[in-house]
Amino acid sequence: IRKSYHGFHPAPWYLCCRSLSGAGTLRWKDYDRPKEFNFASDVLDYWTQMEQEGKRGPNPALWWVNNQGDEVKWSFREMTDLSRRAANVLTQTCGLQQGDRLALILPRVPEWWLVVIGCIRAGIIFMPGTTQMKAKDILYRLQVSKAQGIMTTDTLAPEVDSLVSECPALKTKLLVSDHSRHGWLDFRSLIKSASPDHTCIKSKTLDPMAIFFTSGTTGLPKMTKHSHGLALRSSLPSCRKFLQLKTSDVLWCISDPGWILAVLGCLFEPWTSGSTLFIHHLPQFDPKVIQQTLFKYPITLCLAVPAVYRMILQQISTSLRFPALEHCITGGEALLPEEQEEWRRRTGVLLSEIYGQSETGISCGTLRGMKIKPGSMGTSIPPFDIQIIDEKGNILPLNTEGNIGIRIKPTKPMGLFMCYEDNPVKTAEVECGDFYNTGDRATMDEEGYIWFLGRNDDIISSSGYRIGPTEVENALAEHPAVAESAVVGSPDPIRKEVVKAFIVLTPEFLSRDQDQLTQELQQHVKSVTAPYKYPRKVEFVSELPKTITGKIKRSELRKKEFGQM
Ligand code: BCO
């Protein structure tokens, strides 16, 4: 069934041809630092021109589906047209200007792509966020960023309305919905009537483009600011070798649009190569739907966190052959060598690993065609120079455990974050000699392959999310049953780690049924903060291990969980 989506009519779709490649955009070399770059005008409009000149096949730029049989297929020409309209809505109707900030809290709907490109055209800094956020998370983000605009759907609009009086900088609220809502601008109607004429700004490569919020160990999420260089990096030859995408490829990156992985895997990577970007709405994650989708559509590459591949493997007892799938990529958390091998054996497709953070984008990986060393995250992708360093920034000998460092002196490489916005102290803290210290531990072998070992702080890595323990502890503290708590990672066969809370109860709750209380506390955390952070394991204790100064020793609890004590 092929339907139009909210009045946008699908472009014709023919069979793919494999003869064309995206070599035309290869204008830059790995260490080039062009003064000006804008993904919309330099990349998207380039492919629009290629389409017009008949130099790109007829496959769509964006191919979106949902479980109801709706489908959207937009060519690069349509993307250019619609994103110019989006830029006009943002600037003319909403009054946003270059350098203003827009919080973008949308599920996987086609409008997300229009708005991100619209922002890039207009120089508006977009700040993606997951739709799992609750009012408190949104309030914090709006206040700390002084965002002038927010765009979301019906689900979160009431939460935004409840806090808007506390956000004096906020001047525009955009709704993506089939219904109108008082006080909100209706994006779907506005884009239809907006003009398709828009002149893209001439952005400097080092002008700010996006802000991603990242979890901290001790405090609230930090604002990781990226320049247009993040998008330029996808055009550099070494980065292009990573996926080796062709215009005939169809890439599906299963990441929530709130994360940097989606901005790279669902936008910059495929479109730099003129490939088709495939999106499934997936309002709820279901491994069965993933399997069916890989069978039904001609997806050639799939990028997802390890937990997704694990969940698919868990569902199937025999071999699986997805008709078009050629290559799989994973990142966001560590992958076991056995899992990598199991995926290859059962599907016949290689699964290669990448590594990155909100601060770095994709920093290293096993490039397509490169030898896979099971359990390794591959090698640095230039212009990043990764070394294993000690606490002072000295490079450690091969095969020695240390921190993963990315060289920033004498020159910060293209694509690395600019700074933690408004937080010079944290920015300085992660600078370590000539390197940015990722805080992740690893070793490097003779061939430059990097082997991940873990974090050097309390951040919990679960299903590809990085969760700050303090955020969960703060959420628990709001419940009357919790006298104090300590949150750490605990091993899990599917999610690698899950959040575990050690809780000291207040006297009134000591006699309560512990299973019931566990569920109540889990629901409570899900209701006050993004649900992915909720403690999947809870243990009630009479006291928490502390230092003589009264600081909770999370490391002791973590070691206990991992059987190291
Ligand atoms: O476990 P439960 O079922 O009880 O609860 C789940 C959800 O059902 C629930 N939930 C989700 N949305 C909700 C909600 N509840 C209320 N309101 C909502 N709006 O909350 C729990 C959420 O946990 P989850 O998201 O971990 O669970 P799920 O659904 O099993 O999904 C599994 C994954 C693997 C799809 C998911 O964990 C995921 O998407 N992980 C990937 C995250 C990611 O993309 N990370 C990349 C970060 S960027 C990076 O690493 C840099 C690389 C360059």
Side-chain angles (χ1 to χ4, degrees):
I1 305 162
R2 190 132 66 75
K3 296 180 192 162
S4 72
Y5 176 84
H6 306 293
F8 299 132
H9 294 284
W13 164 253
Y14 310 99
L15 286 176
C16 297
C17 60
R18 294 203 65 84
S19 58
L20 294 167
S21 85
T25 49
L26 267 181
R27 270 198 278 154
W28 298 281
K29 297 195 192 72
D30 279 346
Y31 297 92
D32 281 356
R33 305 176 70 78
K35 220 169 144 216
E36 286 178 355
F37 177 79
N38 187 289
F39 183 79
S41 54
D42 285 310
V43 178
L44 194 89
D45 296 352
Y46 166 86
W47 284 112
T48 299
Q49 199 190 327
M50 290 298 104
E51 260 177 15
Q52 277 164 356
E53 292 173 11
K55 293 181 183 159
R56 183 184 177 271
N59 41 330
L62 177 144
W63 186 0
W64 177 96
V65 301
N66 68 9
N67 269 344
Q68 284 74 52
D70 298 314
E71 196 166 53
V72 174
K73 285 173 180 168
W74 285 331
S75 62
F76 278 102
R77 183 187 56 73
E78 285 167 303
M79 272 311 303
T80 287
D81 174 282
L82 289 164
S83 61
R84 283 179 177 159
R85 288 169 189 258
N88 283 330
V89 171
L90 296 171
T91 51
Q92 290 172 10
T93 319
C94 303
L96 295 174
Q97 294 172 1
Q98 186 169 355
D100 280 355
R101 292 164 182 188
L102 177 77
L104 192 55
I105 313 173
L106 290 180
R108 298 174 188 91
V109 286
E111 287 83 357
W112 185 86
W113 282 262
L114 302 186
V115 173
V116 169
I117 301 291
C119 282
I120 295 176
R121 287 192 186 285
I124 295 161
I125 300 169
F126 61 97
M127 303 190 300
T130 168
T131 50
Q132 288 199 29
M133 283 195 286
K134 298 289 176 227
K136 226 174 122 190
D137 307 303
I138 300 172
L139 176 65
Y140 168 73
R141 281 159 176 77
L142 292 177
Q143 285 185 333
V144 74
S145 67
K146 300 181 192 71
Q148 288 82 0
I150 185 163
M151 185 166 192
T152 191
T153 58
D154 291 317
T155 323
L156 284 172
E159 306 249 16
V160 175
D161 280 335
S162 73
L163 52 82
V164 88
S165 60
E166 297 168 71
C167 306
L170 195 69
K171 60 179 185 193
T172 191
K173 294 183 293 175
L174 273 160
L175 189 70
V176 178
S177 168
D178 292 335
H179 317 283
S180 57
R181 184 178 171 88
H182 179 69
W184 289 73
L185 293 167
D186 175 359
F187 183 74
R188 283 185 179 151
S189 327
L190 288 170
I191 198 156
K192 280 181 204 155
S193 54
S195 160
D197 299 324
H198 180 269
T199 307
C200 185
I201 58 147
K202 281 199 172 303
S203 49
K204 303 242 180 337
T205 310
L206 297 181
D207 280 348
M209 179 188 70
I211 289 177
F212 301 93
F213 283 82
T214 182
S215 294
T217 318
T218 49
L220 291 158
K222 305 183 289 285
M223 289 189 282
T224 307
K225 189 161 82 169
H226 274 276
S227 70
H228 291 269
L230 179 69
L232 170 67
R233 189 158 177 248
S234 295
S235 296
L236 303 181
S238 288
C239 296
R240 303 268 310 239
K241 279 187 208 143
F242 151 56
L243 294 178
Q244 296 178 22
L245 289 164
K246 301 174 285 299
T247 51
S248 53
D249 273 314
V250 179
L251 172 64
W252 185 21
C253 167
I254 313 171
S255 181
D256 181 285
W259 311 112
I260 192 170
L261 191 58
V263 173
L264 299 171
C266 302
L267 179 57
F268 297 149
E269 285 299 326
W271 284 354
T272 296
S273 301
S275 309
T276 296
L277 150 69
F278 181 86
I279 311 137
H280 193 299
H281 184 219
L282 271 184
Q284 247 117 42
F285 178 72
D286 180 353
K288 264 201 211 94
V289 175
I290 311 273
Q291 262 193 67
Q292 288 159 359
T293 307
L294 287 170
F295 269 115
K296 186 169 172 192
Y297 297 95
I299 294 157
T300 55
L301 277 97
C302 179
L303 168 55
V305 294
V308 170
Y309 297 104
R310 270 181 220 124
M311 288 180 196
I312 297 177
L313 283 177
Q314 222 190 24
Q315 283 210 330
I316 52 170
S317 50
T318 52
S319 293
L320 268 184
R321 288 289 183 264
F322 299 111
L325 196 64
E326 292 174 6
H327 192 65
C328 288
I329 312 105
T330 196
E333 51 154 331
L335 176 76
L336 291 176
E338 307 86 87
E339 296 164 348
Q340 211 164 6
E341 176 50 23
E342 183 74 353
W343 182 262
R344 190 203 57 76
R345 205 172 53 75
R346 307 265 285 275
T347 64
V349 174
L350 292 177
L351 176 58
S352 60
E353 204 174 335
I354 54 165
Y355 160 82
Q357 302 179 324
S358 300
E359 288 85 342
T360 66
I362 298 166
S363 343
C364 68
T366 307
L367 309 180
R368 209 170 161 186
M370 190 171 126
K371 177 172 69 175
I372 291 182
K373 291 194 183 183
S376 162
M377 312 187 296
T379 58
S380 322
I381 305 177
F384 283 14
D385 170 17
I386 296 185
Q387 299 292 340
I388 305 301
I389 55 168
D390 67 13
E391 300 307 320
K392 291 188 179 141
N394 300 307
I395 298 175
L396 291 169
L398 294 175
N399 302 309
T400 308
E401 177 177 344
N403 292 315
I404 300 178
I406 298 173
R407 192 183 291 282
I408 49 170
K409 288 180 191 160
T411 315
K412 196 183 245 194
M414 200 52 78
L416 194 67
F417 77 123
M418 302 168 78
C419 62
Y420 295 120
E421 183 71 337
D422 297 333
N423 203 336
V425 175
K426 284 275 175 223
T427 307
E429 259 174 34
V430 295
E431 282 186 16
C432 185
D434 289 350
F435 293 89
Y436 157 67
N437 182 355
T438 62
D440 286 321
R441 309 278 294 166
T443 60
M444 187 188 278
D445 70 17
E446 292 72 11
E447 291 178 289
Y449 280 70
I450 298 154
W451 302 77
F452 186 84
L453 294 168
R455 288 284 306 169
N456 69 358
D457 59 18
D458 292 333
I459 294 279
I460 302 158
S461 172
S462 176
S463 306
Y465 297 116
R466 293 202 161 197
I467 301 167
T470 318
E471 292 173 77
V472 187
E473 288 162 7
N474 288 347
L476 284 167
E478 289 176 29
H479 193 283
V482 179
E484 59 178 348
S485 72
V487 164
V488 297
S490 175
D492 181 81
I494 294 291
R495 294 169 195 271
K496 202 85 185 155
E497 268 184 65
V498 289
V499 173
K500 174 159 182 182
F502 290 88
I503 296 174
V504 179
L505 291 173
T506 48
E508 311 87 83
F509 284 82
L510 283 171
S511 57
R512 285 275 297 272
D513 177 84
Q514 294 208 337
D515 289 342
Q516 254 181 19
L517 196 52
T518 296
Q519 282 177 27
E520 190 178 317
L521 288 166
Q522 288 174 327
Q523 276 316 315
H524 164 76
V525 174
K526 279 186 176 181
S527 69
V528 296
T529 189
Y532 69 84
K533 296 180 210 159
Y534 85 90
R536 288 173 192 267
K537 292 184 188 172
V538 172
E539 186 175 330
F540 297 105
V541 290
S542 54
E543 59 178 352
L544 295 169
K546 289 186 182 160
T547 61
I548 29 172
T549 54
K551 214 173 149 222
I552 294 169
K553 291 201 240 171
R554 288 198 195 106
S555 58
E556 204 167 285
L557 295 168
R558 196 172 44 240
K559 279 184 190 152
K560 202 177 116 215
E561 286 306 299
F562 286 87
Q564 292 161 356
M565 280 182 81

